[in-house]
Amino acid sequence: MDGGAGGGRGARRGPDAPPALGAVLGYRVYARRWVFLLVLSLLNCSNAALWLSFAPVADIIAHHFVLSTEQINWLSLIYLVVSIPSGVVAIWVLDSVGLRWATITCAWLNFAGSIFRALPSLAIGIEDPFAFLMGGQSLCALVQTVVIFSPAKLAALWFPEHQRVTANMIGTMSNSLGILMANLLSPTLVKKEKDIPWMLGIYIIPAGLACLLATACLWDSVPPSPPSAGAARCSSERFLEGLKLLLHNRAYVTLAVCFGGGIGIFSGFLALLEQVLCVKGYSNEFAGLCGALFIIFGVLGALVLSLYVDQTKQFTEAVKIGYCLTSVVCVAFALVSQLQGQTLALATICSLLGLFGLSVVPIAMELAVECSFPVSEGAAAGLVVVLGQAAGALVVVLLTALSVRRAEPSTSTCQDGRGPLDWKVSLLLMAGLCALFSCCLTLFFHTRYRRLEAEAHVSRSIQDDVDHAPQPAATP
């Protein structure tokens, strides 16, 4: 246990609040909140790595299992498709079953999926490897929505006000670290087709570790005492009522549509990055490096930005500025990626995409909770992600459909055994969508911070009660 009064929001509201106010309110934080965050982060990281583990070496995987490029894309796309129906179920699960059992169940599903998809390389005589690969990916896809929704709820239930954005950032960015692991590990491990079984086996290890820790180390869904006024008032609206409130909240709908679209663009960018770059002669290793730079700078930017927003509470300003800068860099990527020999420029652009775009994701999740309070954190953050996954599926399908094969010789390094693709129209559309969403968010999104206001009101009310309480008479 970390202590008593220091964790309460009331203890941090206003310079006149007495040091004992947190104790009066009964707010308390527990050290095991960090264990819960660690387990959830590891599970999130493992799940994201499994999602995109095939994408950086798509051409080699396709040749080894005799699959088409479209089938390889579906191994990533299945995550986005499954998340649309399962996302609504995940919101209900988090609010009804609780964080502990939801996390443990997802850890076992993730572990089972990692083993199932490795069977075509480990077992002999499997006639349809795609069925096993897709089956394993589908099991892992069922997990994704829960582990992406969970950081916002975990931060609200277990962490005090001044740590909420940072905790949400750690849980959310662990998903990005999993994508980083996939972009670095897959090209490193798979140089030839014989290396594929080794790669699939390696990805089982973090999934198994997350399963073990979740089963052994998670004891409670909620702490015995709340860490803040917001957690104390955690009697959120019921599931259907909460969804109705979200759909009638203009600010929330604007944020969900615009930022969900941005999440979809990022998903499409990561899923298709190797296929876009190999056409112009860039290696799988360089594509993996670009994906890694996107994640690294995104995580670093999220760390700095989360600490800043935790102190200033400037959620809206951070999200709007980051999104607008992202749209500018997205246009640059659409243009430069069509040129050969621009390794430095592409590496810089991917770094800036992560720094400006990925870094605002945890801030946007917290903003979704703030503008929709008292709707549950799982529903508020979850619906944004569901829309993002739906947008991601549409983006991947649309960009792939708009690409055309070129008959003329090229410097392509793609190893799928088919002619190179022209992604020019697809990438310009992606950049245009990013600019459209950022403009709509900047112009039409305005909101109050409802959760902060509610917590401030509770703290002021308790403070007034303490100040006006009768003082004991002095003994002569």
Side-chain angles (χ1 to χ4, degrees), residues 299-357:
V299 171
L300 292 176
L303 175 61
V304 175
L305 194 59
S306 296
L307 293 174
Y308 172 76
V309 173
D310 252 335
Q311 300 301 319
T312 64
K313 310 304 178 190
Q314 293 182 332
F315 298 93
T316 302
E317 294 83 352
V319 171
K320 287 184 176 181
I321 293 172
Y323 209 164
C324 288
L325 291 173
T326 300
S327 64
V328 175
V329 181
C330 195
V331 172
F333 177 80
L335 298 176
V336 177
S337 62
Q338 298 304 299
L339 305 176
Q340 299 176 10
Q342 301 297 318
T343 54
L344 180 59
L346 282 172
T348 302
I349 289 171
C350 291
S351 301
L352 292 177
L353 269 177
L355 182 65
F356 297 142

Side-chain angles (χ1 to χ4, degrees), residues 165-241:
V165 178
T166 302
N168 196 355
M169 179 275 298
I170 293 172
T172 302
M173 286 297 103
S174 62
N175 184 273
S176 300
L177 290 176
I179 298 172
L180 170 63
M181 182 167 74
N183 276 281
L184 291 179
L185 197 58
S186 292
T188 302
L189 292 175
V190 180
K191 303 295 185 182
K192 298 180 180 179
E193 294 182 33
K194 66 178 183 179
D195 301 323
I196 292 175
W198 175 245
M199 179 199 79
L200 294 174
I202 289 293
Y203 281 111
I204 296 176
I205 297 174
L209 181 58
C211 184
L212 176 63
L213 292 177
T215 305
C217 299
L218 301 186
W219 304 333
D220 301 296
S221 290
V222 296
S225 299
S228 68
R233 293 186 59 188
C234 199
S235 55
S236 305
E237 298 292 334
R238 284 185 287 181
F239 179 67
L240 292 178
E241 286 80 357

Side-chain angles (χ1 to χ4, degrees), residues 53 76 119 131 134 210 236 271 334 352 381 407:
S53 56
S76 300
L119 291 179
M134 182 62 80
S236 305
L352 292 177

